[in-house]
Each structure stands twice: as C-alpha cells, then as structure tokens.
Amino acid sequence: MEIALILFIIAAVFIVQSVKVVPQQSAWVVERLGKYNCTLPPGLNFLVPFVDKVAYRHSLKEIPLDVPSQVCITRDNTQLQVDGILYFQVTDPMRASYGSSNYIMAVTQLAQTSLRSVIGKLELDKTFEERDIINAQVVNAIDEAALNWGVKVLRYEIKDLTPPSEILHAMQAQITAERGKRALIAASEGRRQEQINIATGEREAFIARSEGEKQAAINNAAGQAAAITALADASALAIERIALAINQPGGEQAVQLKVAEHAVEAYGKVAANSNTTLIVPSNMSEVSALITSAMQMVGMVKK
C-alpha cells in the first residue's frame, strides 16, 4: 500500500513537471539544464521532467507603463515638470528574458532620458505646440534600443507639462494682453467697417437724390414745354377765331368797341392810383384816332 502511494506521488510529480498549459497571449521560456531551450506557445506543452524548467513567463499583451514625473530644461533654460505614459509590447520572449535583467526599468529610464533630450532642443512655447512631435521622437529613440530587449514601443503620450509658477503667471499675463489686443483690433475693424458703411450709404443716398432731382428737372422741363405748346396752340386758335369773327358782318364795329373798352379801362386804372397824375386829352378825338390806328392794324392782319 505504501509503495503504491509512493508511486502515485512520483507519477503526479512527473506529470506536473512534464505537462504545461500556457495561457493565450503568453509565452514561457524553457531552459534545459540552465540553457535556453525553447519558447512554449499558448496551449498544451510537454517538458522533460527535472531537465527542462520554465525560467521566464511573459505576457504578450500591450502594457501601459507610467513614466514618473521629472524636471526637464528647455532650450531657453526654463524648467518643466513633465510626466507621461508609455505603451509597449513584448515581441521576442527570448530577448526579453536574456537581453536585459529588467526591461521594464530599462524602458522607463530610456523614456525619461529621451524626453529630456528632446525637450532640451525646443523652446518653451514649442513644447506646448509640438506635443505630437515630442511623442514621436521619444518613441523612435526608445524603439531603436528596445529591439535588443525583445520589446516593441508602440507609443508615448505626455500627460502634463507644468512650468514654474512665475512662468505660468507670465504666460497668463501674455495671453491676457494678446486677447486685449485682439479685442482692440476687432473694435477698430468694427468702427472702420461702420464708417465705410455710413459713407457708402451717404454716397448711394446722394446718387439717388441727384437722380431724383434730375428726373424731376426733366419732368418739369417737359411739363413747361407742354404748357408752352398748349398755350401757343390756344393763342393760335384764339387768333384764328378772332380773324374769322372780324370777317363776319359787324366784326369791325365789335373790334372798335373792344378797343374803346380797353382804353377806358386803362384810363380808369391809371386814375385809381393816388400817386399818379392823370392827364386827360382835351380833345376826345384823340381817342378816336387811337381806335382808328388799332383798326388799321387789324386790317393789316386780315391782309
């Protein structure tokens, strides 16, 4: 009974030592008698008991690594407190096991030194504007060295860039001044546009008024011309009718009577003015002579 139990224990130990189940996205490095033998893929694997040993276990998943905060000095001698996060992945389990005693620490230190080197080439304002360029340069610098460690650096992201409080206050004052400058420029542009709009409106109004005055003058001239034409036509018609009336029986006597009436009316208007001295002809035959002269003129018109 004891022998069977001992054999069962020995069999169990052999099975545990020889059968290995590797999880998905993992890689186990096997050493045979202290020397690298193989890398076990995910799934069921068999080893030689007491000869083969799983020396290292690596995860092939993407690993985020927090890079500690550090002080970096820019090209214009300004201190910046910078921290970031690094994403990497084990691509060669054998090199990750034997290329470095601690590849995580090596990647972290290399990320910090590369970041200091990149920021040291830039001025303060550029560090805030060119984060993508800084991240790309840090990744390239780490990736070249990490190949020997079996690690692939995927990306690096800066989390915070914190300048000293004095620099921060100066930057805030600069931003405030810049915004004030933009506000003044915007206000002046608004006033300029307002003046342009007012001048344009006045010019258009003046043009419209002048066009209206021009049209009014044209219409007035046309109206006066039409009135003169109508008056001339009426005068011509009146003269024509008078001429026809004179040729009728008794026409000359009517003309004489009309001339006499106008003469008497003229004498009456002159006499009505108190400041006018009226000289009445002693011989009324002169009035008759005046009428005779008028009749002679009528005769000439008839001819």
Side-chain angles (χ1 to χ4, degrees):
M1 186 67 180
E2 294 177 357
I3 297 174
L5 182 59
I6 294 172
L7 292 175
F8 177 77
I9 293 173
I10 294 173
V13 171
F14 267 82
I15 292 173
V16 171
Q17 291 289 326
S18 62
V19 178
K20 300 294 181 182
V21 178
V22 180
Q24 182 66 32
Q25 284 297 94
S26 296
W28 292 1
V29 175
V30 177
E31 292 180 351
R32 177 168 292 176
L33 300 176
K35 183 180 178 181
Y36 171 76
N37 181 41
C38 64
T39 300
L40 300 181
L44 182 62
N45 296 273
F46 297 96
L47 302 179
V48 177
F50 305 105
V51 177
D52 294 338
K53 180 184 71 172
V54 177
Y56 300 96
R57 290 178 172 85
H58 299 286
S59 175
L60 303 181
K61 299 177 182 178
E62 183 176 341
I63 301 173
L65 179 62
D66 191 15
V67 179
S69 178
Q70 62 175 335
V71 176
C72 300
I73 299 176
T74 62
R75 184 178 179 181
D76 49 358
N77 296 324
T78 303
Q79 292 184 351
L80 283 178
Q81 195 77 20
V82 186
D83 62 349
I85 184 168
L86 183 69
Y87 298 87
F88 70 95
Q89 186 177 24
V90 176
T91 56
D92 191 340
M94 191 269 289
R95 288 190 176 186
S97 301
Y98 303 104
S100 174
S101 60
N102 189 340
Y103 62 84
I104 294 179
M105 181 178 179
V107 169
T108 303
Q109 294 296 322
L110 186 57
Q112 289 183 315
T113 56
S114 300
L115 181 62
R116 286 196 297 267
S117 176
V118 172
I119 290 182
K121 300 176 182 178
L122 300 175
E123 296 181 354
L124 179 61
D125 294 337
K126 293 296 183 180
T127 58
F128 294 99
E129 299 173 1
E130 301 181 355
R131 284 197 176 191
D132 293 338
I133 297 176
I134 295 173
N135 295 336
Q137 291 182 358
V138 170
V139 170
N140 293 333
I142 300 174
D143 202 30
E144 293 179 0
L147 291 177
N148 296 326
W149 306 331
V151 174
K152 173 66 176 176
V153 178
L154 302 177
R155 59 188 179 277
Y156 177 82
E157 297 291 339
I158 295 177
K159 292 194 296 184
D160 292 316
L161 283 172
T162 307
S165 58
E166 297 82 3
I167 300 296
L168 194 60
H169 293 160
M171 293 173 63
Q172 188 64 39
Q174 181 181 2
I175 293 174
T176 303
E178 184 66 25
R179 291 186 182 275
K181 175 184 175 182
R182 293 179 183 178
L184 291 176
I185 292 175
S188 64
E189 288 291 336
R191 290 193 296 270
R192 174 175 174 270
Q193 189 62 40
E194 179 185 5
Q195 293 175 358
I196 291 175
N197 292 340
I198 292 174
T200 303
E202 291 178 351
R203 183 186 66 181
E204 292 178 355
F206 179 78
I207 292 174
R209 285 196 299 270
S210 64
E211 289 292 334
E213 292 174 357
K214 173 184 176 182
Q215 190 62 39
I218 292 173
N219 294 339
N220 189 20
Q224 291 179 358
I228 292 172
T229 302
L231 182 62
D233 291 341
S235 298
L237 181 61
I239 293 172
E240 184 180 355
R241 289 184 178 181
I242 290 172
L244 291 175
I246 292 174
N247 292 327
Q248 298 295 326
E252 294 183 0
Q253 292 80 5
V255 170
Q256 293 176 3
L257 178 61
K258 196 69 175 177
V259 171
E261 289 178 352
H262 280 295
V264 173
E265 183 179 356
Y267 277 114
K269 290 181 178 180
V270 172
N273 191 352
S274 61
N275 296 324
T276 304
T277 301
L278 178 64
I279 300 175
V280 179
S282 60
N283 188 6
M284 294 302 296
S285 62
E286 293 180 3
V287 176
S288 176
L290 178 63
I291 295 173
T292 302
S293 298
M295 293 304 299
Q296 290 178 357
M297 290 178 68
V298 171
M300 291 177 66
V301 171
K302 289 173 62 177
K303 292 179 181 181

